[in-house]
């Protein structure tokens, strides 16, 4: 069956904003301004979705709180990537039963990738009866309508039908940060890596129009944002589905042409689609940060094949050599899975060899977690948990040593950093990010917040750098 993207029309979004206004009229009659608690799990894509949920809630007259006791609405935006993420959500949602007993008027909403899965929605329907609303990523654009219906009639709503996915422009946004911003450039994924749930819960790849992306970035720059991350599960296949096809490198160059002093980041790139043209564009565009997150998952070709990654170790290393030639100070990060079904310890050691050759600045490491409905979940998985954990520990020990050495090389240098927050460690005042996105704890005054400033690096450990404003 052909499955195509649904384009949500401006009229559809206008109708949702009408629901917002109707809800605002209801909430205005309540004795106190109602508050909402939005809790987000998972990746930046989910963070970006939560900013839209907050945008809608704000139009409906809600303020925000982090205290579930004070909230009239609790929204939990969930992630399905590993079992651990789901267990945490079930634990927290289970505990809300007591909160709701004290506040029967409260609405409890579960959304995001985890509840897009039919077996999860069924479990909530049967065993978590205090949950009022369940909706997957495809239904986010009609959140106001669902809330309006619940406020008028109570009852429960479940909206998690499987679909290819949609694109909606014009949903209001309340951003969490005033310096850094996420901009989704595409949604969904077509890659079907054999371990991964994302294509099942986020639908097929679909790209926003370049003019919509460019005008969002222009507006953010005018509002003073300094660090803009373009988001997609596989940004390198941006634009293939557009009526006028365009590639990611060209989009990056157009974002770079927007006037202003800001940094451009992007994630995630898939190695099979990361092109020489992309690397050359990164090298040429002065606003594009010198950092590349390029997940390789495993260092052994047999394992990569069963993972359906569609690249070999050598092809991956070739790309790394190409970018290092063009941008010698490139900061490289990656994702790795340990304990994929059937991976032997010998095969795992090929992953260690990639670490030694590339010398990543940081690595995100995961133990394989079987996801219902993915091919890998039914593969033979003979290795014991203990053995997987031992391999995992070898991996993180090696990476820690590399990160520590790479961080130590910054000591004594002066680096232009973006001061992005206040530091909770009392020996330091501010947090900052190097262009390559390394965290720096900084001594200096708060007036620097939100600015690019020269920072002298005085110390480092495996996690972060330390320094002072120059
Ligand atoms: N689209 C991105 C990654 C999204 S998920 C990409 O292709 O790189 C983030 C990371 O979670 C993946 O890179 C992978 O390392 C990890 N991951 C995904 N599914 C997993 C699973 N079933 N078990 C363990 N780790 C997983
Ligand atoms: Fe998952 Fe692979 Fe798509 Fe990344 S590229 S989201 S790992 S299926
Ligand atoms: Fe999780 Fe969905 Fe992101 S599964 S990692 S929140 S796309």
């Amino acid at each position: 069956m052909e499955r195509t993207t649904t384009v949500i029309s401006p009229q559809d979004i206008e109708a949702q904003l009408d629901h917002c206004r109707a809800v605002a009229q209801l909430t205005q009659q309540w004795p106190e301004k109602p508050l909402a608690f939005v809790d987000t799990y998972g990746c930046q894509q989910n963070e970006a979705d939560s900013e839209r949920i907050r945008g809608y809630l704000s139009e409906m007259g809600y303020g925000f709180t982090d205290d579930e006791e004070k909230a009239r609405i609790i929204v939990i935006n969930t992630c399905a990537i590993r079992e651990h993420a789901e267990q945490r959500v079930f634990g927290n949602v289970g505990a809300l039963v007591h909160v709701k007993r004290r506040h029967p008027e409260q609405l409890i909403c579960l959304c995001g990738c985890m509840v897009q899965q039919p077996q999860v929605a069924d479990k909530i329907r049967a065993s978590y009866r205090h949950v009022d609303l369940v909706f997957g990523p495809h239904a986010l654009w009609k959140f106001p309508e669902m809330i309006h219906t619940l406020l008028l009639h109570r009852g429960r709503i479940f909206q998690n039908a499987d679909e290819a996915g949609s694109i909606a422009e014009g949903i209001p946004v309340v951003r969490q940060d005033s310096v850094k911003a996420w901009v989704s450039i595409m949604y969904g994924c077509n890659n079907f890596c054999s371990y991964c749930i994302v294509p099942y819960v986020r639908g097929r790849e679909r790209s926003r129009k370049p003019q919509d992306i460019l005008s969002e970035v222009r507006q953010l720059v005018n509002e003073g944002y300094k660090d803009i991350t373009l988001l997609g599960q596989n940004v390198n296949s941006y634009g293939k589905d557009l009526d006028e096809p365009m590639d990611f490198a060209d989009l990056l160059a157009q974002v770079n042409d927007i006037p202003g002093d800001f940094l451009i980041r992007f994630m995630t790139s898939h190695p099979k689609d990361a092109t020489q043209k992309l690397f050359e564009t990164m090298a040429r565009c002065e606003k594009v940060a010198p950092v590349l997150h390029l997940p390789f998952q495993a260092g052994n070709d047999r394992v990569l094949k069963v993972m359906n990654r569609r690249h070999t170790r050598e092809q991956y290393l070739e790309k790394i050599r190409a970018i290092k030639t063009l941008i010698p100070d490139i900061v490289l990060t990656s994702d790795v899975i340990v304990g994929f079904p059937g991976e032997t310890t010998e095969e795992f050691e090929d992953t260690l060899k990639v670490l030694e050759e590339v010398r990543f600045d940081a690595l995100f490491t995961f133990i394989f977690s079987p996801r219902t409905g993915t091919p890998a979940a039914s593969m033979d998985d003979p290795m014991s948990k203990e053995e997987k954990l031992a391999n995992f520990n070898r991996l993180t020990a090696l990476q820690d040593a590399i990160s520590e050495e790479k961080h130590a090389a910054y000591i004594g240098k002066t680096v232009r950093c973006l001061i992005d927050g206040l530091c909770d460690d009392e020996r330091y005042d501010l947090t900052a990010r190097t262009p390559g996105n390394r965290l720096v704890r900084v001594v200096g005054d708060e007036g620097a917040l939100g600015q690019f400033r020269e920072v002298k690096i005085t110390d480092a450990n495996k996690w972060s750098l330390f320094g002072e404003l120059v």
Side-chain angles (χ1 to χ4, degrees):
M1 188 180 69
E2 176 74 358
R3 307 216 306 167
T4 48
T5 304
T6 320
V7 178
I8 311 299
S9 71
Q11 292 79 359
D12 289 331
I13 297 300
E14 198 41 52
Q16 293 304 316
L17 294 172
D18 284 339
H19 284 290
C20 289
R21 288 183 274 271
V23 172
Q25 281 187 349
L26 292 174
T27 57
Q28 268 158 24
Q29 289 156 26
W30 297 351
E32 281 170 52
K33 184 180 170 84
L35 299 177
F37 175 36
V38 182
D39 196 9
T40 311
Y41 295 77
C43 64
Q44 290 82 358
Q45 191 63 64
N46 254 18
E47 298 286 347
D49 284 350
S50 286
E51 293 183 338
R52 293 195 153 65
I53 290 169
R54 283 196 195 87
Y56 270 146
L57 283 165
S58 172
E59 297 292 315
M60 290 187 255
Y62 288 83
F64 299 99
T65 175
D66 287 335
D67 181 350
E68 47 206 31
E69 297 284 343
K70 295 198 178 117
R72 281 293 286 246
I73 289 192
I74 296 179
V75 182
I76 304 183
N77 193 3
T78 64
C79 170
I81 203 79
R82 283 169 292 273
E83 195 184 353
H84 178 68
E86 298 200 348
Q87 281 166 344
R88 274 172 60 211
V89 169
F90 277 125
N92 290 350
V93 175
L96 287 179
V97 93
H98 309 291
V99 182
K100 186 148 179 184
R101 216 166 272 148
R102 290 190 283 276
H103 310 283
E105 76 293 346
Q106 201 169 51
L107 287 181
I108 298 183
C109 317
L110 277 187
C111 63
C113 296
M114 174 178 160
V115 300
Q116 183 65 41
Q117 304 170 97
Q119 79 281 10
V120 173
D122 289 347
K123 180 167 168 181
I124 294 160
R125 194 181 275 115
S127 311
Y128 293 79
R129 305 220 34 104
H130 57 297
V131 174
D132 304 279
L133 171 61
V134 168
F135 62 97
H138 301 313
L140 188 151
W141 67 274
K142 37 188 169 176
F143 178 60
E145 183 178 347
M146 297 184 274
I147 293 296
H148 191 195
T149 308
L150 283 174
L151 288 176
L152 293 178
H153 311 292
R154 298 304 295 203
R156 304 178 85 193
I157 296 178
F158 283 73
Q159 293 236 341
N160 67 327
D162 185 27
E163 51 178 276
S166 61
I167 291 216
E169 295 294 341
I171 297 178
V173 185
V174 170
R175 294 187 195 265
Q176 281 298 82
D177 199 293
S178 54
V179 183
K180 300 192 213 184
W182 314 117
V183 174
S184 296
I185 62 165
M186 60 191 299
Y187 307 94
C189 183
N190 289 353
N191 285 319
F192 290 93
C193 301
S194 63
Y195 49 81
C196 184
I197 195 72
V198 171
Y200 303 87
V201 293
R202 288 262 172 193
R204 295 297 71 72
E205 266 172 24
R206 50 215 189 268
S207 306
R208 290 178 70 196
K209 292 201 180 89
Q211 54 270 36
D212 292 329
I213 297 167
L214 293 168
S215 77
E216 183 172 345
V217 177
R218 241 177 253 121
Q219 191 188 336
L220 288 166
V221 172
N222 288 340
E223 288 170 14
Y225 282 87
K226 297 277 185 262
D227 184 319
I228 291 171
T229 304
L230 308 177
L231 288 183
Q233 293 299 343
N234 177 15
V235 292
N236 303 128
S237 58
Y238 172 78
K240 288 181 184 158
D241 58 321
L242 291 170
D243 292 338
E244 291 170 48
M246 150 177 218
D247 72 14
F248 179 62
D250 291 334
L251 178 73
L252 207 53
Q254 291 189 14
V255 176
N256 188 72
D257 285 341
I258 294 174
D261 188 12
F262 65 99
L263 273 179
I264 307 163
R265 307 182 189 283
F266 56 90
M267 65 189 307
T268 299
S269 290
H270 194 300
K272 78 176 161 54
D273 302 318
T275 58
Q276 185 68 16
K277 177 177 172 188
L278 171 69
F279 301 158
E280 284 165 7
T281 308
M282 289 174 71
R284 176 164 53 81
C285 292
E286 75 289 355
K287 290 172 194 153
V288 176
V291 52
L292 183 66
H293 179 62
L294 197 63
F296 75 98
Q297 314 297 0
N300 178 272
D301 286 346
R302 188 198 67 81
V303 177
L304 283 170
K305 198 163 170 53
V306 193
M307 284 180 162
N308 194 29
R309 289 292 287 180
R310 286 175 282 172
H311 61 81
T312 62
R313 172 174 60 170
E314 191 43 41
Q315 284 164 340
Y316 181 85
L317 292 172
E318 198 46 55
K319 307 239 164 165
I320 295 288
R321 287 192 279 267
I323 188 132
K324 279 184 175 173
T325 306
L326 283 163
I327 311 176
D329 63 347
I330 187 88
V331 167
L332 292 166
T333 62
S334 193
D335 293 349
V336 169
I337 297 177
V338 177
F340 184 79
E343 184 186 56
T344 63
T345 290
E346 208 183 348
E347 287 169 334
F348 158 76
E349 284 167 355
D350 289 336
T351 296
L352 298 180
K353 287 182 196 144
V354 174
L355 260 63
E356 276 161 354
E357 172 151 358
V358 178
R359 296 179 57 80
F360 296 100
D361 293 74
L363 201 63
F364 301 89
T365 49
F366 311 103
I367 292 185
F368 169 75
S369 169
R371 308 284 65 215
T372 306
T374 63
S378 49
M379 289 177 189
D380 238 10
D381 191 5
M383 192 183 275
S384 70
K385 272 193 182 140
E386 292 69 33
E387 215 176 328
K388 288 186 181 188
L389 193 62
N391 287 343
F392 182 83
N393 290 338
R394 283 176 72 189
L395 180 77
T396 50
L398 175 58
Q399 181 56 43
D400 283 353
I402 295 172
S403 295
E404 196 164 351
E405 273 178 44
K406 292 211 113 179
H407 283 168
Y410 284 86
I411 298 174
K413 290 187 178 153
T414 297
V415 186
R416 184 174 187 254
C417 295
L418 177 61
I419 313 296
D420 66 349
L422 298 176
C423 189
D424 49 19
D425 179 336
E426 59 191 33
R427 290 166 299 167
Y428 297 90
D429 307 296
L430 305 161
T431 60
R433 290 280 169 173
T434 67
N437 217 21
R438 302 289 82 217
L439 171 66
V440 196
R441 294 176 210 280
V442 183
V443 178
D445 83 276
E446 283 181 26
L449 212 60
Q451 296 173 11
F452 287 106
R453 293 285 293 269
E454 298 290 331
V455 174
K456 174 144 203 239
I457 307 299
T458 52
D459 203 358
N461 63 21
K462 64 185 172 197
W463 297 288
S464 70
L465 309 172
F466 305 89
E468 57 202 27
L469 288 183
V470 175

